[in-house]
Amino acid sequence: MPYFDVASSAPLHPVARQALQASLDEGWADPARLYREGRRAVMLLNAAREAAAEAVGCRPDELAFTPSGTYAVHSGMSGALSGRRRTGRRLVVSSVEHSSVLHAASAHEAATGGVVTEVPVDRYGAVAPEEYAGALREDTALACLQSANHEVGTEQPVAAVAEACRSRGVPLLVDAAQSLGWGPVEGAWSLLTASAHKWGGPSGVGLLAVRKGVRFAPQGPTDERESGRVPGFQNIPAVVAAVASLRAVRAEAVDEAARLRALVDRIRARVPELVPDVEVVGDPKHRLPHLVTFSCLYADGEALLHELDRADFSVSSGSSCTSSTLTPSHVLRAMGVLSEGNVRVSLPLGTPEADVDRFLAVLPGAVSGVREKLGAPVSPAGPGGTPAPGPGRVVDALGRRCPIPVIELAKIFGEVPVGGTVTVLSDDEAARLDIPAWCEMRGQEYLGERPADHGVAYVVRRIS
């Protein structure tokens, strides 16, 4: 069964499995003890730290191992914010950061009253360095920017943003969870976090690098381990396996990146040809080599994932109907792109071409099957006549979730004369993204939204 969701978690790398099994016999003792078992354990831990620091691009004494990537983010942000509390309490993040960053930002705001500034992104999901620089103030204690987006694969201009932060004396924390397996993060960053299960290491191991000179005050009770930044007994076998797998994937990163990029390019090109009404999202060039995301108009994301799972493909989605909150992914929302029928494909190392070819063969039938069950239109609206007088047509889609509001809009749009309008009443948050996206894909005019008695009224004018 092809597993196409390594952006969530990668299968355990064979090297990690071997290292884990070997170190279980050698790395079980307390590395703080001076007897031979402790000395063997600390030797394994030190070697792993040196190898990890080399991969990250920092000094060994700047790197700590954490219980997860999320822990690394939370402790890195809280430590940096506390260490610079005399400077101020302002925190700057991009609008597409991982939820661990945004959750920590919300906690900081609630606990301290500090201001959190979100820097917007373009339609590809990237920040503009000059706009990010413009968000920095004298009271900015910390800035955060991911190296590459976890949902659409877009790489961020970290080096340029890091230089802007350096020139203003603001430390930059980089979440490198998605990119570290492909190579080090360029630029003068101050703090860096990562998670081993993203590159084929065991879960439960994260990395936190804090450069010398960065004011850092660990929160909570202090501990003598991991430079006082991470309390508790280290899981040395898991750490050794995590670093061994990082070195292994890095050794094949150049060749594998080129091979997987070609496969992703094939998906990016073929999906719009094979499936009508599709938007491929994310930057086509400045992106991770193994990840591609696209959204299918008139399709339910959860139903589409189930259809692909029945065809033995494991993929992910940012559609609102795949979320317990019934809201679209904050990444897709920040980008302003279509969220209906969203599919994220992230290929593991060694993915054969045959698996991609079979995915492309299966996808059209899966999408058309979901659309048919939902009663979606099969063709764009036909030519119109004389503009209709009066307020135009109204679609009442209140209480109906994605993608029904857009489907109902499309069903009657062909009956509206050129110049006429359709007002869609919806209380589904996804409509705020998907109706404007439908207009752009169809070449129609989106007139905006206004409050309604229940929900929101979205107004579309037919111009062709």
Side-chain angles (χ1 to χ4, degrees):
M1 177 173 180
Y3 177 76
F4 285 178
D5 194 26
V6 293
S8 293
S9 188
L12 193 65
H13 195 284
V15 170
R17 187 181 303 277
Q18 295 169 4
L20 181 63
Q21 291 174 339
S23 56
L24 284 171
D25 293 330
E26 296 292 330
W28 52 268
D30 188 343
R33 301 296 174 240
L34 299 179
Y35 40 70
R36 60 183 178 274
E37 293 88 355
R39 293 197 300 273
R40 283 200 296 265
V42 78
M43 286 176 62
L44 287 173
L45 185 61
N46 289 343
R49 196 182 312 278
E50 290 177 4
E54 181 181 5
V56 168
C58 66
R59 292 168 36 160
D61 59 351
E62 295 174 330
L63 187 138
F65 295 108
T66 68
S68 69
T70 296
Y71 187 100
V73 167
H74 290 175
S75 58
M77 290 178 65
S78 63
L81 287 166
S82 179
R84 285 175 49 82
R85 59 188 178 276
R86 292 184 179 178
T87 299
R89 291 178 293 185
R90 183 180 298 274
L91 171 64
V92 177
V93 301
S94 85
S95 58
V96 293
E97 293 299 309
H98 188 269
S99 58
S100 61
V101 172
L102 299 182
H103 291 163
S106 297
H108 167 69
E109 190 174 35
T112 69
V115 176
V116 177
T117 300
E118 283 196 9
V119 180
V121 296
D122 61 20
R123 198 168 177 83
Y124 287 152
V127 300
E130 60 276 12
E131 192 164 0
Y132 200 105
L136 303 175
R137 303 285 188 270
E138 290 185 0
D139 63 342
T140 302
L142 177 66
C144 299
L145 182 65
Q146 59 190 189
S147 54
N149 187 260
H150 50 292
E151 289 196 28
V152 301
T154 298
E155 294 176 330
Q156 298 290 355
V158 172
V161 170
E163 180 56 29
C165 291
R166 186 200 62 77
S167 67
R168 291 162 173 78
V170 177
L172 176 67
L173 182 149
V174 176
D175 170 17
Q178 291 295 333
S179 72
L180 193 62
W182 299 106
V185 176
E186 302 297 331
W189 50 265
S190 302
L191 303 95
L192 182 141
T193 64
S195 187
H197 73 100
K198 301 293 187 180
W199 63 70
S203 58
V205 179
L207 304 180
L208 170 62
V210 182
R211 297 247 194 229
K212 294 295 182 183
V214 176
R215 291 186 177 275
F216 192 88
Q219 300 301 286
T222 58
D223 194 295
E224 68 276 9
R225 302 178 192 274
E226 296 302 312
S227 302
R229 292 174 184 155
V230 185
F233 196 95
Q234 299 99 327
N235 185 345
I236 295 177
V239 165
V240 170
V243 177
S245 60
L246 179 57
R247 295 185 67 180
V249 299
R250 280 285 191 87
E252 53 185 330
V254 174
D255 291 341
E256 193 64 2
R259 197 182 68 82
L260 292 180
R261 187 175 292 275
L263 294 179
V264 166
D265 285 342
R266 185 184 305 175
I267 296 174
R268 291 182 66 92
R270 292 289 290 152
V271 166
E273 296 173 352
L274 296 169
V275 182
D277 302 317
V278 164
E279 180 178 12
V280 181
V281 301
D283 197 295
K285 294 182 179 179
H286 305 292
R287 58 175 173 79
L288 294 170
H290 68 303
L291 195 155
V292 56
T293 301
F294 54 89
S295 298
C296 305
L297 198 62
Y298 312 135
D300 177 293
E302 185 174 9
L304 186 52
L305 262 58
H306 284 314
E307 287 299 312
L308 291 171
D309 182 56
R310 290 173 59 188
D312 292 336
F313 286 97
S314 301
V315 298
S316 184
S317 173
S319 292
S320 60
C321 38
T322 65
S323 166
S324 60
T325 62
L326 293 179
T327 59
S329 144
H330 71 277
V331 173
L332 301 179
R333 189 167 62 244
M335 294 168 62
V337 296
L338 181 68
S339 71
E340 290 180 9
N342 179 258
V343 174
R344 181 186 69 181
V345 173
S346 48
L347 305 177
L349 300 178
T351 298
E353 290 185 36
D355 283 355
V356 171
D357 290 339
R358 193 168 77 82
F359 175 78
L360 292 173
V362 164
L363 181 67
V367 175
S368 63
V370 170
R371 287 172 172 170
E372 183 178 359
K373 290 177 182 177
L374 292 170
V378 295
S379 62
T386 305
R393 301 289 296 273
V394 176
V395 172
D396 186 350
L398 293 169
R400 308 186 73 182
R401 300 302 175 190
C402 70
I404 300 301
V406 178
I407 289 176
E408 294 303 315
L409 164 65
K411 281 182 177 179
I412 72 163
F413 204 74
E415 304 170 6
V416 177
V418 172
T421 63
V422 176
T423 299
V424 182
L425 302 178
S426 176
D427 52 6
D428 180 14
E429 182 65 26
R432 184 165 280 113
L433 283 180
D434 294 345
I435 291 176
W438 181 89
C439 292
E440 183 167 334
M441 295 172 74
R442 283 282 175 263
Q444 307 302 331
E445 183 180 6
Y446 177 62
L447 297 180
E449 64 178 73
R450 64 173 186 267
D453 291 340
H454 301 283
V456 178
Y458 302 92
V459 184
V460 178
R461 174 184 287 134
R462 183 169 186 177
I463 61 175
S464 64

